Amino acid sequence: MYYLKPGIKKGSLTLKEQSLVISLQAKYGNKWKKIASEVPGRTAKRLGKWWEVFKEKQSKQLHKQRREYSDQEGNVIQVTSALVLSPEKVAQWSTFIPGQQVGTLIQYCKELEEGKQSWLQHKKEATWRLSRLEQQLESEKARKRRGV
C-alpha cells in the first residue's frame, strides 16, 4: 500500500518558497531533485510543475503586451515589449527593493522597453523611406539626363 510522506506540503507555494525556487533554479538550472532538497516539504515534481506554469505565465504576459499604433499616414505599427523578466532578476530585486516598488519598477522597465521598440520601428521605417526617396531622386535625374 502507498503512503504519502507526512512532511509533504500541499497547495500553492508561498512567496518565500517561490523566491527560493527562482534563485535556486538560476543557480542549478532544472535539477529539481537538488532544488527540492533545499525547499523543505516540496517534491521535485511539484517544483518542476510550478516552474513550467511560472514560465508559461510570463510568456502569456509578453503576448498581452503586444500593441498596435498608427502613424500619421495610417500605417499600423506593431510594438512588442521584449522585456521578459527573468526569475533571477525578480529574485535579485526582491531582496533589495520592497515588494510594491518592484512592481512599479517592473512597469517602468516595460514602458521603457516599449518606447525603445517603438523608436526602433520608427527608425527602420524612416530609413526605408529615405532610401526610397533617394532611389526616386536618382531615377528622376537619370530621366532628365536622357531627355536633355
Side-chain angles (χ1 to χ4, degrees):
M1 204 172 207
Y2 177 73
Y3 293 95
L4 293 175
K5 293 181 182 178
I8 300 297
K9 295 179 186 175
K10 295 180 181 180
S12 301
L13 273 67
T14 64
L15 291 176
K16 186 176 181 181
E17 288 174 324
Q18 290 177 13
S19 180
L20 181 59
V21 170
I22 290 168
S23 62
L24 291 173
Q25 198 281 337
K27 183 176 181 181
Y28 299 128
N30 292 339
K31 296 183 179 181
W32 299 113
K33 284 188 178 184
K34 188 166 190 150
I35 293 171
S37 69
E38 297 188 35
V39 182
R42 299 293 184 174
T43 64
K45 186 175 182 177
R46 174 70 180 102
L47 296 177
K49 181 67 177 167
W50 178 86
W51 180 257
E52 291 303 317
V53 170
F54 177 78
K55 284 175 48 179
E56 183 66 28
K57 284 180 181 178
Q58 278 197 325
S59 177
K60 285 181 182 178
Q61 182 181 10
L62 176 65
H63 292 295
K64 284 181 182 178
Q65 291 170 355
R66 177 168 285 165
R67 295 193 178 132
E68 292 182 348
Y69 298 97
S70 296
D71 63 10
Q72 292 176 345
E73 297 168 3
N75 298 320
V76 175
I77 303 168
Q78 276 196 349
V79 177
T80 303
S81 174
L83 178 68
V84 175
L85 297 173
S86 67
E88 301 85 33
K89 291 294 180 197
V90 173
Q92 288 172 355
W93 290 348
S94 63
T95 58
F96 298 111
I97 303 171
Q100 290 178 330
Q101 291 179 349
V102 170
T104 303
L105 180 59
I106 289 169
Q107 185 60 37
Y108 290 157
C109 289
K110 288 177 184 176
E111 290 171 7
L112 181 63
E113 184 64 26
E114 287 174 2
K116 176 184 172 189
Q117 293 300 322
S118 179
W119 180 82
L120 289 173
Q121 181 68 29
H122 176 73
K123 180 181 173 185
K124 183 179 175 181
E125 287 182 19
T127 302
W128 178 83
R129 287 180 184 168
L130 179 61
S131 69
R132 185 82 174 123
L133 285 171
E134 289 171 345
Q135 289 173 357
Q136 289 173 348
L137 182 61
E138 289 298 320
S139 175
E140 195 173 314
K141 284 180 183 179
R143 190 182 56 184
K144 284 183 180 181
R145 277 183 257 152
R146 284 185 298 229
V148 174

